[in-house]
């Protein structure tokens, strides 16, 4: 593994891309994608482009929003490998024997349904704010399961991801961050993160804080399942490289190859195990978060593209930027 050997966190990487292409690209980013704060591109296990924009540095961290979900998936994969979770076809309620069933349909929902966003929920628009303001996020999320929708139909849900995080707490005896610090982040040479609780009053200041190294927790100390990780762009690329290398990083196997392959198995929903699967000339396997945060892994090109962004609603599509601009630039 060459991409981070002897590379200090503040060291500037000299790009191998032609200067005229770089200039046009960076002008486009500043004009059309103004909330991007850093970009890291790895090809053949070497950084070929890295840039921090505005007043940011490469090692500055920000909230990566729903990119968090793909990290959660990796933790489940490790637990499956270690047989701490028997199977993703286990029923969700098997992990919560204390939960009082109010909807019989809940009994048939599996961990696989949560991972692939094919569980039914009793809402049209997800009540994210109510979830995060509840006294017990897990119970609130479990109460949302069921309703008129069918098991197997695609419905994107952050509440379902939070149930997965609570399952991780159940089987490990600690939260997802505690497990990740030792079994995912440490092997990737990502320094430990801390638990952090936000309120409605502190949420927006958290989004802007580039010094926090945290994973948000709920009122019961469960790591937020579908959001809440703060990372820098190099750390995002390390995670992408782990998946590109089929679960191996620095000659150390972290996740089984089978889990990576299953996570990226294309299907009618274009969604794997908390990964977006976008067939757009090349197969783009993506961890995508609000505001334009993305880790895009392109196996055919042996490339990982990571983009870290300030929070901004309704940003321009990063897939378009990657497909129409970045890929032609690096080929």
């Amino acid at each position: 593994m060459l991409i981070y050997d002897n590379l200090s966190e503040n060291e500037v990487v000299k790009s191998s891309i032609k200067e005229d292409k770089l200039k046009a690209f960076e002008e486009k980013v500043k004009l059309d994608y103004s909330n991007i704060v850093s970009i890291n591109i790895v090809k053949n296990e070497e950084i070929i482009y890295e840039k921090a924009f505005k007043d940011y540095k490469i090692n500055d961290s920000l909230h990566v929003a729903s990119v968090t979900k793909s990290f959660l998936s990796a933790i489940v994969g490790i637990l499956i490998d270690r047989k701490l979770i028997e199977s993703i076809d286990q029923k969700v309620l098997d992990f919560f024997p204390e939960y009082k069933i109010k909807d019989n349909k809940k009994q048939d929902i599996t961990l696989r349904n949560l991972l692939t966003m094919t569980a039914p929920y009793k809402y049209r628009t997800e009540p994210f704010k109510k979830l995060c303001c509840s006294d017990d996020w897990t119970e609130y999320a479990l109460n949302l399961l069921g309703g008129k929708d069918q098991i197997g139909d695609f419905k994107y849900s952050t509440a379902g991801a939070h149930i997965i995080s609570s399952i991780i707490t159940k089987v490990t005896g600690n939260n997802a961050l505690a497990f990740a610090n030792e079994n995912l982040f440490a092997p990737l040479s990502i320094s430990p993160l801390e638990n952090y609780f936000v309120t409605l009053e502190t949420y927006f200041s958290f989004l802007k804080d580039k010094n926090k190294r945290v994973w948000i927790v709920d009122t019961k100390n469960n790591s937020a399942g579908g959001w809440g990780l703060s990372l820098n762009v190099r750390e995002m690329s390390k995670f992408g490289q782990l998946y590109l290398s089929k679960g191996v990083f620095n000659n150390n196997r972290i996740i089984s190859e089978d889990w990576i392959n299953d996570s990226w198995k294309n299907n009618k929903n274009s969604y794997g195990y908390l990964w977006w699967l976008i067939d757009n000339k090349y197969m783009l396997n993506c961890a995508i978060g609000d505001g334009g945060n993305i880790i895009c892994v392109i196996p055919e090109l042996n490339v990982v593209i990571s983009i870290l962004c300030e929070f901004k609603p309704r940003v321009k599509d990063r897939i378009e930027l990657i497909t129409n601009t970045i890929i032609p630039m690096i080929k």
Side-chain angles (χ1 to χ4, degrees), residues 221-268:
N221 205 44
N222 297 298
S223 303
W227 61 288
L229 265 180
S230 290
L231 298 166
N232 68 48
V233 74
R234 285 183 181 171
E235 293 167 337
M236 294 165 73
S237 282
K238 287 180 180 181
F239 182 69
Q241 185 65 45
L242 170 67
Y243 268 70
L244 180 59
S245 301
K246 298 295 186 179
V248 174
F249 191 86
N250 281 345
N251 298 315
N252 177 27
R253 177 158 296 284
I254 300 172
I255 310 175
S256 69
E257 183 172 349
D258 286 345
W259 181 260
I260 307 293
N261 291 336
D262 289 345
S263 296
W264 284 354
K265 194 172 291 182
N266 207 358
N267 56 73
K268 66 179 182 179

Side-chain angles (χ1 to χ4, degrees), residues 42-60:
V42 176
K43 185 175 183 180
N44 299 326
E45 300 189 349
E46 293 192 49
I47 298 174
I48 62 168
Y49 176 79
E50 185 175 71
K51 176 82 171 181
F53 296 85
K54 301 193 278 191
D55 61 342
Y56 285 84
K57 297 181 177 64
I58 283 297
N59 62 321
D60 284 339

Side-chain angles (χ1 to χ4, degrees), residues 210-308:
K210 57 187 178 183
N211 296 312
K212 284 213 167 18
R213 305 269 310 148
V214 301
W215 192 339
I216 298 300
V217 293
D218 70 5
T219 54
K220 308 294 184 182
N221 205 44
N222 297 298
S223 303
W227 61 288
L229 265 180
S230 290
L231 298 166
N232 68 48
V233 74
R234 285 183 181 171
E235 293 167 337
M236 294 165 73
S237 282
K238 287 180 180 181
F239 182 69
Q241 185 65 45
L242 170 67
Y243 268 70
L244 180 59
S245 301
K246 298 295 186 179
V248 174
F249 191 86
N250 281 345
N251 298 315
N252 177 27
R253 177 158 296 284
I254 300 172
I255 310 175
S256 69
E257 183 172 349
D258 286 345
W259 181 260
I260 307 293
N261 291 336
D262 289 345
S263 296
W264 284 354
K265 194 172 291 182
N266 207 358
N267 56 73
K268 66 179 182 179
N269 297 323
S270 298
Y271 198 84
Y273 297 167
L274 302 181
W275 282 84
W276 291 98
L277 312 175
I278 301 166
D279 192 353
N280 193 357
K281 187 176 181 180
Y282 298 102
M283 197 68 206
L284 311 181
N285 303 308
C286 299
I288 299 177
D290 200 7
N293 291 288
I294 189 168
I295 304 169
C296 179
V297 184
I298 314 173
E300 190 174 348
L301 299 178
N302 203 20
V303 163
V304 177
I305 299 165
S306 297
I307 303 174
L308 182 65

